Structures are given as C-alpha cells and as structure tokens.
Amino acid sequence: MSLALPLGLLGLLGIAALILIYILKPKYAEKAVSSTFVWKLTLKYKKKKLPFQWLRSSLLLILQLSILSLLAFSLAQPLFAVSIESGEKIIILESSASMLAQKDGRTRFDRALTDITRLAEETVPKDKVSVILAAGTAVPLVTRSDAEGLIKLSLTGVECGYGQADIPGAMTLAESILRENPSAEIILYTCREHPDSGVTVKNMSDREWNAAILDFKAEFIEGYFRFSVETASYNTAADLSLVLEIDGQFAEVKAVRLGADQPQTVAFGAAPVSYDNARVYIDVADAFVYDNEFRLFGGGKQNFRIQLVSKAPLFLGAALRADRNCDVIVPGYTPEAAELIQAAANEAERLMLIDGFTIDDYLYESAGYDLYVYERMTPGVLPVDGAVWLINPESEPSGSGLSLGARVSGSFTLTATGAGGEAYDAVFANNFPYADVTLSDYRRVLRADGYEEIFTVGGNPVLLARQADGVKLTVFALDFHNTNLPITLGFPILINNLIQYSLTRTTESYLYEVGNRVAITPAAVATSITVEGGGIRQDFDAVNEKVSVTVNKSGAYTVTQTLRTKSTEENFFVRIAKGQSDFNSVGEAVKLPPVSGTAPKVFDTIDILSYLALALLAIISFEWERQYREQY
Amino acid sequence: MSNTRIIDEDFISRLEAVSLYMQIPMQGYFGGNHRTKTYGNTVEFADFRTYQLGDDIRRIDWNVYSRFEKYFIRLFVDEKQMHTQIFLDCSASMGKTDPDKGLYAMRVAAALAFLSVKNMDKTSLKRIRGNFAEDAGGLIVGKAAFYRAVGELEETVFAGTADLATAITHTDSGADNGLTVIISDFLTESDWKKAVNYLLYRKRQVMLIQVLSPEELDPGYKGRVRMSDSEAEDVLDERNMKMRITRAEVETYRLALHDYLSDIKSFCAGRGVSFFSVRSDDPVEKLIFGKLNEAEAVR
C-alpha cells in the first residue's frame, strides 16, 4: 500500500483527542435508587457470563475510532498495489494440412482464428497474449502483447499450411515465454486429441468426412508396371470410385466399399510397360480435397540419351543399356568408311580397317546427348551439353586440361586415392571391388589440371574425373581389354556407378511431401529453370549450380529447363503427409515445459478512496443507530 | 407516613371472609382457632378409641356399646392459639426512595396481622432496623390492640439498614407455636437465609413476602448514571455505583434478578417455606386473595 498524501495521517491525532474526550467526559446522571444490590449482581454477571461484553460496551468508542481512522486514511489518499493472478495466454495455432478440412464453408483453421480473436478480446488489455503459429516451422506471430489491435493484425492474412505442424518447436517458443511468466496458460488449437497433455487443448475437429488416397505405388513386375492404391474413408463408411489415368488417358476405374476408418489397398488391372504420368483420383465432395488425387512420374521410360563412339561398342554398349533409363545410340560409319568396310575381303581385314579408323570415320554428334562416351577415340572439341567419358584416349582433346604420355606395360593393380571427392564417392558406391582388378597396360597422364584422381597405378592416375562449367568429364587412362574388369562382377557395378555420377537427374525423386526442399540439378547448358506448381512459379536464370525450392503445397510440379536449342520438362508430385489424412489419429501428449521459478507478481494499483467512503458511510450510520438506541 | 391510612374499614371487611391457615402441626396455646393433631374438647368429632381406666365415663359412646357391646369413647378435635410474628424490613431500600413500596409493605403486614388477630391468635408486628426488631404495639391480642398497633405502624420511617439475620435470630420467636412472616425486598447483603434456617429450627412456619418496586423489576434509566443507594451512608459508600447503562446492561440486570429470585424460590421450596414476590404497584388484595389463597396460606 502506498499513500499519495502521507501528511493526511496527521488526522490520526484525532484519535488521541477522542480518547481524551472519553476520559474527560464527566456527564453522569444522578439517580437515587432503593438498592444497587441487583446492579452489583449484574456486574458479576458481566464478568462471568458475558466475556465479550467489554466489546459491546465499547462499541461506540470503537466505531468512532474507526471513523477517525478512515477519515485520516482518506486524507492520505491510500493506493493499494494488489497482486493479481495472471491470465496471460500463450496460444499455439496448429497449421497442418488437416486443419484445412472444411465444414459449412469454413475450415478448422478459420474457426480456430475466430476463436483466438474472441479469446484475445476477452484477455487484453488486462493480460497479455502470445500467438505461435505451428506450421512446418514454429513462428511467433505476436509475443506478450496486450494490444488488441496488434494481435488482430498479426492474425490477419495468416494461412494454414499443407504440411505438418511443428508442435515441439512451438512448445520451445512457448517455454521462452513461460520463463517470463510461469503462470501463463498454454492453449493449443489443434484438430486432434492430445490426451494426458499438460496444456489446454482446443480440438477444432467436428468429425468431418475425409475420403483419402493414402498411397499410390507402381511396381515393375515381369516387365510390366502394376499399380496399387491405399485408400480410406474417415469418420464414415463410403462407396468410392477410384479412377486411374495413364499418360493422360483413362485406364481403369475401381469401385470400392470402405468401412469407416479402415484403410484398404486396391490393385488395378492395367499394366503398362512404361508410363510418364500415372494419376489416380476420387471425385467426392468430402471435407478435405488435398488427398483426393495422387500422381506418379518417371515410369520406366528412357530419359537419358547416350552416344557411344567405339570401334568395338558391343560389350560396353550392353553394360550401358543395363540401365533401363538409358537409350544408348552407337553412331554409324561415314559413307566412305562404310564403303571401305564393305570392300574388305574378310573379317580379319574388316577388323584391321576398323582398328585403323579415327573418330572422323563415324557419324557422331557433338550435341544433343546426356552422355558422350568415346572409347580409344578423342573428339577434337569436347561436347558442352552432357557428360563425357574418355576411355583409353589416343590424344588429349582441347580444353580438357590433360597431357598424356607414353603407354606403360606390366602387371599392375589399382590403388584408390582421392577419398572424399564426389566422383570417388560415386565410384565406390555399391561396394565396387577394385582390389580384384589387375591390368597389364595403361597410359601415363603427365598433367591433369583440376582432375580428381580416383585410381592410380604406381602413383600414376588411371581413372580421373573433373567437373567444369557444368560438364562432368571422366577419363579412363587404360584399355578395358587390357584389364580383367570385363570378366569381374565389379564391371557392371563400376559402369552403373559412373552413370549415376555422370547422368545426374534434374530432381532426385519424382515424389515429395509437403514441406520438403527439392534440389534441382540443372542441365549443363541450361540457361534458366522454371518451377511451377502448387499455385506458385519460381524462375531461376543463369543457372550453373543446383537450385532448390521448398514445396509448400500439394499437387503436380513441373520443372522446365531452357537449354541452348530447346527446352525440357520434368515433373514431380508433392503429396500431403499420410498422417494428415487420418482424421481420427490421436496426437502425442504435449507436456508442459519444466519452467522453474515462481510466477512474477503482477500488480495492479487500486484507488480505494471510494471503498473508504462507503465504509465510512456504513460505520457512521451504524454509530448513529447505536447512539439512538442508547439514548432512547 | 403518619397521614396515610394503611388499612381501612372496607379492606378489613373483606379480610373478615378469610383466615390464616397453618400447614404444619403446632403446639400453641389454648383458645385459638387452629387445629392440632392432638385431641381436645371441641365439639368437632375426630375419632373413637377403646375405653381405658381413668377415662371420663361421660365420654363413652353408648350407641356404639349397644352395637358392639364394647366400651368406646369419642375423641374431639383440639384447637389452639398460635403466635404470629410479622417482621417488616424497615431499611431505607423499602421506602426511602419509593414510599409506595414502603406503604405496600406496611399494608401487607397490617392485613396479615388482622387475619391473625381475627383467629384469636397472639400477634407481634416487628420492625427491623439495624440489628434489632422492635415491636409495634407490643403483643397484639384482640382487635383493639390491633388498631393500636396499626397506628404505630403507620408512623414507621424507612431509613438506614436492616440486618435480617441478626435481628430475627436475636428475637424470642417461641417454638412450635405459629407462623413467622418476613416482609422485605431481600435486596440485602445480610444473610437472611440464616434467619430462615433459624426459624425452621424453631419449628415455625415461615412465609417470605418480597416487595419490589416497578423500577427494581424493570429499570427505566439508561446512559451514564451515578446511582446513589438509599442505604448508603455517604457518597463514598461502596454501595453507590457509577456505570454506563445500555440495553445490554438492562438485559443483564433482568437476567441477574431472575436468577436471584430463582435462587430464593429454590431455597424456600427445599425447606417448605412459602415465598411470594409482589410488585408494590399491585393492589394488596391481589396478594391476599390471589397468591396467598392459591397457596392455601389463607382460606
């Protein structure tokens, strides 16, 4: 308690004056009575039977002292600083896809926003409100504010996410607020139950119906793709029609009867050998539309074009073709070369002729392929729009940074070096058994500027890799025919590993989940990339390194690359997290952060003058009544 | 008091209709109107008994002999004269501040004395002052003596104190021969119970009549009051009181008075003593023909 005018307490001197008046007050009425015998008995009674009689007999004095005290306090203008219980609220608003479920035109998220606005109006300005949006990453919208306008402004334009909610992150943010006021109440606006939670849970779910495609798979079995769908109907049983489209064409429809909350897997009969785009969907008016469609891309069609220029292409070509995504093209001979071969007397002469051919005897291309493989031949200028393998090169191509020396013969084994490099890691993927490899001949590399040495023989590199200007160049300074590689199990592993290294796909997968970050590897000669889907479009110009986008909405996305002469398109699909479709799932218990310490006192200053006036009035009235009763 | 007639002819004529009634056996003197348990020579038949040698043969009932052929003599009720003592508390508390209270007490004393005289009993009117009880008119026998005594009684002045215990125990009260009436307000520190016990020891029938003024029953004064006790010797006397009287005090006063009266009643009831508490503003007739009649003290 504080006093605005402490001098007012001087009024308490009136108490001393009152007591003095009582002491000096001599007015006793004279009364002759026949006997005071009974009055003396009365005094004994007062002592014996009425122990609190002194209080009654002194009531008037007590009342008058109270009046004087109240008057003095009123003059001093007392202000009471009272501790009030904090009603601060920390609101966590879940922003997951399932909060988008609609009923009567309003989503759960909308209803939660309305509720939060009302709660904020009730709470401020007396107490503070914090709002944390638990989206893919928890972010504070407003922290410990008692300004209603600011809180409403922070809620304006907030949209619900399509991913999962970062509740733990939101609780971490809430904990930092709790440290400032441990008595603040945490309220979680969500759409599922969180039993045994230490926070107040407001479940915005209204048992909405959700028919969902939970998963869509294509398995390659005996040369055909077999499709299967996992589907479910939550909160009510339903008859659904699952429609399958392949490459934009209707393929099949499946009618299924689903029990409530019982996921079911349905297999389709359609079985293509390959596909670019498979889509399954259900056409229903449920509360949640974002899981009614599912797409698959990249269904076995050959996506990479490889040009193999070799005097003996059969063996290496077969190894390259082992990857179903690769379309291997072996260029033919020039007409002149073809005529010479045709004129050969026998097979031995034909082989002799071919052995003497140079690269100019082939109708090879220098652009338009994803991978160029040159075996025992070297182009004058290296291609710039794809990866290049130089196998046992006869000479150094210009701009390759290589300087080749003489051939070395003997019996050698490989030594792995350059651990940690990108190419090294790629070669050694899938346990390539390099120790078994022996060779009898290799070409000495005198200079290799900017190359990563992967294998060496006696300190001389025999397998090198370089990445410059977006072009991956791999050099084998050896001849496969002079090694035992082709007869080992490691050969297809090595070829596959090098394909994976050289032929980098634009995206690592065709299927992502909302919230994922999609890395896009541009083609070597791409001048721009456009990513479009989910209602957004992102453009990247002058790309020569990976770019990435975060996909925040479900649906099909298209990556368009503009190359020098043409443009390419690739697709991927972003799905809603499976758990978001399950409207009856139970959330984990949300534990209250263990914040130590006591709640800070919240003080409010109360001017009690009006209360004093009321008390004064009451006591004066009572005192008058007592005076009246004593006198009459 | 001398100008006030405490008893008039009209009241006396009404008293002629009733008599004092003794409720306990008594010895008394010959010539009175009070029955005893002994047999005497009155005309009122009491019982038979067989003839004994030495009995007066004139008292043999021959009618009974003719029926039973045995000698029976007839016995008759004996009536004796008793000595009625009436003690009047003449302290200041009985009339100094409230003359009506004193007048009432004197009228009660005179009325009871008349009833006693009417029964041909010996009567003493004794006024207690200080430690002594003085006779008013001496031993009263007959109506002439009664009127003389009443004349003296009317001259009574209520003043000073009265020690009932000492005054009564030092008075020759006789034995087994009558009624003792004590008229007082009993608002005294004196141990009047000792006097009652003494009288009972002397086998006297005792009657206590307490006279209280209306103000004593219900004090009408409040506020800061300095009360001067009528028996106080001076202003410093400890019987004087100074107190602040509120409604609570008055309530306590009533409670204390009630308990005090209950104590007297309890004391009297345990000893066969008659006790009557009366208001001084009530008619005396209400006591005589009301309370005393109901209690069969008079008939």
Side-chain angles (χ1 to χ4, degrees), chain B residues 51-75:
Chain B
Y51 174 79
Q52 304 286 332
L53 281 177
D55 286 338
D56 187 354
I57 57 170
R58 288 176 298 180
R59 296 174 66 183
I60 295 173
D61 191 327
W62 297 109
N63 289 328
V64 174
Y65 176 78
S66 65
R67 289 180 66 184
F68 300 105
E69 292 184 349
K70 287 184 180 177
Y71 296 110
F72 287 93
I73 64 170
R74 299 177 66 165
L75 300 177

Side-chain angles (χ1 to χ4, degrees), chain A residues 96-397:
Chain A
S96 66
S98 52
M99 287 290 280
L100 288 166
Q102 276 194 348
K103 191 164 191 179
D104 301 328
R106 300 191 73 213
T107 64
R108 295 168 170 175
F109 193 80
D110 293 337
R111 296 200 300 270
L113 280 177
T114 304
D115 220 29
I116 290 169
T117 303
R118 183 185 51 75
L119 182 62
E121 287 171 352
E122 292 172 356
T123 307
V124 297
K126 193 174 66 176
D127 292 297
K128 294 176 178 172
V129 169
S130 304
V131 183
I132 299 168
L133 185 69
T137 304
V139 289
L141 295 179
V142 60
T143 304
R144 303 202 73 200
S145 173
D146 55 4
E148 186 180 326
L150 178 64
I151 296 167
K152 287 183 176 177
L153 185 66
S154 69
L155 295 174
T156 305
V158 174
E159 291 185 354
C160 186
Y162 293 79
Q164 303 191 66
D166 182 14
I167 301 293
M171 289 305 294
T172 303
L173 290 174
E175 185 178 351
S176 64
I177 299 170
L178 273 182
R179 285 204 183 91
E180 295 179 44
N181 181 7
S183 65
E185 182 189 11
I186 299 178
I187 303 172
L188 172 63
Y189 280 86
T190 180
C191 55
R192 47 182 59 85
E193 294 299 327
H194 290 266
D196 304 323
S197 292
V199 303
T200 304
V201 175
K202 299 270 187 183
N203 187 356
M204 306 311 294
S205 166
D206 197 13
R207 291 196 61 79
E208 297 92 341
W209 172 46
N210 181 29
I213 295 173
L214 300 175
D215 209 351
F216 183 32
K217 289 179 180 174
E219 289 183 279
F220 191 68
I221 301 171
E222 296 176 349
Y224 297 94
F225 283 97
R226 307 282 184 180
F227 296 100
S228 63
V229 172
E230 185 184 2
T231 183
S233 175
Y234 292 102
N235 285 333
T236 183
D239 293 330
L240 300 179
S241 294
L242 298 166
V243 183
L244 174 67
E245 288 180 358
I246 297 174
D247 293 336
Q249 301 295 317
F250 170 79
E252 190 177 351
V253 62
K254 276 277 187 186
V256 291
R257 171 160 293 180
L258 295 172
D261 310 326
Q262 294 171 351
Q264 186 175 332
T265 301
V266 179
F268 284 99
V273 293
S274 65
Y275 66 92
D276 271 337
N277 171 14
R279 175 183 178 232
V280 67
Y281 65 92
I282 48 177
D283 189 9
V284 292
D286 61 347
F288 190 61
V289 299
Y290 304 98
D291 55 5
N292 291 356
E293 179 194 44
F294 209 116
R295 288 176 186 247
L296 291 177
F297 294 101
K301 290 204 169 174
Q302 293 168 342
N303 297 315
F304 295 113
R305 297 180 74 230
I306 300 175
Q307 175 181 263
L308 173 59
V309 185
S310 172
K311 293 172 183 175
L314 290 179
F315 184 70
L316 185 56
L320 291 170
R321 288 190 183 94
D323 189 326
R324 287 187 301 106
N325 286 321
C326 296
D327 182 12
V328 181
I329 294 144
V330 177
Y333 300 108
T334 60
E336 294 79 14
E339 194 175 327
L340 284 173
I341 291 172
Q342 200 168 8
N346 51 39
E347 180 65 14
E349 187 179 352
R350 190 179 71 86
L351 291 175
M352 285 288 287
L353 278 170
I354 292 172
D355 193 48
F357 281 174
T358 65
I359 194 168
D360 294 330
D361 294 317
Y362 293 88
L363 295 171
Y364 72 96
E365 300 286 343
S366 296
Y369 289 89
D370 296 299
L371 174 62
Y372 302 88
V373 181
Y374 302 97
E375 186 177 26
R376 290 180 61 197
M377 284 181 285
T378 307
V381 178
L382 288 175
V384 294
D385 62 346
V388 177
W389 290 2
L390 293 177
I391 300 171
N392 192 21
E394 298 290 339
S395 61
E396 313 90 336

